[in-house]
Amino acid sequence: MEYLEHQVKVSFYNEICLMMFGFGDSHTPNPDTVRLVENIVLKQLRSIVHEASKYSSGDVLKGEELVFLMRHNKHKMQRFVKYLHNKKNKHLLLNINTVKANVSQIKSNLLEFIERIDETGEFTDLSEFDEVKYERQLRADRISQALDEKKYLEFCKARCASFNSKDTTQRSLEKLKLWIDPSVQMKFNDEALDVLAYYAYQTVAEIIDYALLVRMDSKSSTDPLKHLPGSYYTATMFNGEHRFGGSNPDYTKVHSSQPPISLNEIKEVMRRVYSPQAGKLNFGGKLPETQYLFAL
């Protein structure tokens, strides 16, 4: 398989390095691995833009056209709806003294669009348990308990890293646009760039999830617990009795001794994704419509 080889002027290397740590990699990720992840994310974003452009009716790519691609995966759509609600609530808190409108009447264009295409109501049903997000949070909790104060503060910073800075400023959106389209051949509205930033973040998260699954597969081929739902999100952080908990578990070697995710582990993730016919070597389950695009 060939990955994107050419260099771009804009880079999200530092942000991806932090995100990888925040999602479960070593606090000092392998530089070559970070660059490979960056290339995969960029290639996938460009594929998403290409697919979304098929539904575009004008010269400007809109957020709705990007969100439409997610319609085949209700769980990821629900997660995105939660993201939009959290973003709206954050905006209201930051502008609590200036917002005069009724809070119930404030709704983003993307939320309204999702409601229009949500014929069964499943996209906006936020009562359903999000196992993937929960397991990521559980993994983060296990890691945080293994870190000293200095590393914990670094971990908190890493957990806040994203592709759209802190407040989705125009400057960060411009950086993302130039990263995806350095030749400036396409036009995006701000909502589209925000959706792409979200997709990029979720792509990094999925890659790290699967890389840890690959690592667990290589170390615990006879583990009777490996097939439990969500077990691969946390099993790689524990050995022996540490996995089962206890009254006073020793967390000192849970994360700090984990080696950085290697190039080969990322390449194995991509091999499994692009070779689902390998049977046991794939990730299991029914293949989604957009099986090659992690964010969708």
Side-chain angles (χ1 to χ4, degrees):
M1 172 186 171
E2 294 182 1
Y3 295 104
L4 189 64
E5 296 290 345
H6 67 273
Q7 299 294 321
V8 294
K9 295 181 180 179
V10 179
S11 174
F12 280 90
Y13 177 92
N14 292 333
E15 291 89 342
I16 291 176
C17 192
L18 286 172
M19 279 183 267
M20 289 174 64
F21 174 36
F23 287 128
D25 196 1
S26 165
H27 68 280
T28 52
N30 183 314
D32 291 333
T33 304
V34 177
R35 282 188 284 270
L36 178 57
V37 171
E38 182 179 24
N39 284 341
I40 294 172
V41 173
L42 179 55
K43 185 173 182 179
Q44 295 223 344
L45 286 182
R46 288 176 175 172
S47 296
I48 289 172
V49 168
H50 176 72
E51 288 298 313
S53 65
K54 297 177 182 179
Y55 301 99
S56 181
S57 58
D59 297 330
V60 180
L61 188 65
K62 303 179 180 64
E64 292 93 335
E65 294 149 359
L66 289 162
V67 172
F68 186 68
L69 298 178
M70 210 173 2
R71 68 193 184 281
H72 296 297
N73 194 316
K74 73 169 185 176
H75 301 292
K76 292 184 178 181
M77 186 71 85
Q78 289 169 351
R79 200 172 303 141
F80 181 67
V81 169
K82 290 179 182 178
Y83 163 79
L84 292 177
H85 281 295
N86 290 337
K87 183 180 177 182
K88 181 192 73 174
N89 292 336
K90 180 180 179 181
H91 174 77
L92 293 175
L93 287 174
L94 292 175
N95 300 274
I96 194 170
N97 294 324
T98 59
V99 173
K100 303 296 183 182
N102 189 323
V103 172
S104 62
Q105 296 176 343
I106 299 176
K107 187 177 296 183
S108 73
N109 294 330
L110 292 180
L111 279 174
E112 292 180 347
F113 171 75
I114 293 171
E115 289 180 354
R116 289 201 303 272
I117 66 173
D118 186 18
E119 297 182 0
T120 63
E122 60 185 6
F123 294 161
T124 53
D125 179 11
L126 304 185
S127 63
E128 190 168 343
F129 179 65
D130 189 340
E131 181 182 1
V132 172
K133 185 174 181 179
Y134 171 77
E135 296 294 346
R136 287 175 183 169
Q137 292 172 333
L138 182 60
R139 183 171 66 208
D141 178 66
R142 296 294 188 268
I143 294 172
S144 66
Q145 295 184 61
L147 303 175
D148 58 29
E149 182 177 356
K150 180 180 179 181
K151 285 291 188 294
Y152 175 74
L153 293 175
E154 294 176 0
F155 183 63
C156 290
K157 178 181 178 182
R159 294 273 294 162
C160 295
S162 70
F163 286 85
N164 54 8
S165 296
K166 294 182 179 179
D167 303 304
T168 316
T169 62
Q170 191 63 35
R171 181 178 177 182
S172 65
L173 292 178
E174 288 294 326
K175 178 181 177 181
L176 182 66
K177 180 169 65 174
L178 289 175
W179 189 53
I180 298 172
D181 182 29
S183 59
V184 196
Q185 294 180 345
M186 297 194 65
K187 296 180 181 179
F188 307 84
N189 68 10
D190 286 353
E191 277 189 341
L193 290 172
D194 190 32
V195 174
L196 286 170
Y198 174 85
Y199 282 166
Y201 179 84
Q202 292 298 325
T203 300
V204 175
E206 294 265 330
I207 291 173
I208 300 306
D209 286 345
Y210 289 138
L212 294 178
L213 172 58
V214 166
R215 178 172 292 183
M216 191 195 77
D217 282 349
S218 67
K219 291 184 177 181
S220 56
S221 59
T222 60
D223 184 357
L225 301 181
K226 66 177 293 185
H227 297 298
L228 290 179
S231 64
Y232 60 82
Y233 288 104
T234 52
T236 55
M237 314 313 299
F238 294 88
N239 289 304
E241 67 275 10
H242 300 145
R243 183 183 303 174
F244 302 97
S247 59
N248 187 26
D250 179 10
Y251 292 106
T252 58
K253 295 183 179 180
V254 173
H255 182 75
S256 59
S257 62
Q258 295 291 323
I261 293 174
S262 67
L263 274 174
N264 287 336
E265 287 170 326
I266 299 297
K267 290 178 179 178
E268 174 63 10
V269 168
M270 302 309 294
R271 187 190 69 79
R272 296 186 187 194
V273 168
Y274 281 89
S275 303
Q277 71 278 10
K280 185 178 178 180
L281 294 179
N282 66 22
F283 295 112
K286 182 180 178 181
L287 294 173
E289 296 287 337
T290 51
Q291 57 179 299
Y292 301 132
L293 300 173
F294 292 116
L296 305 179

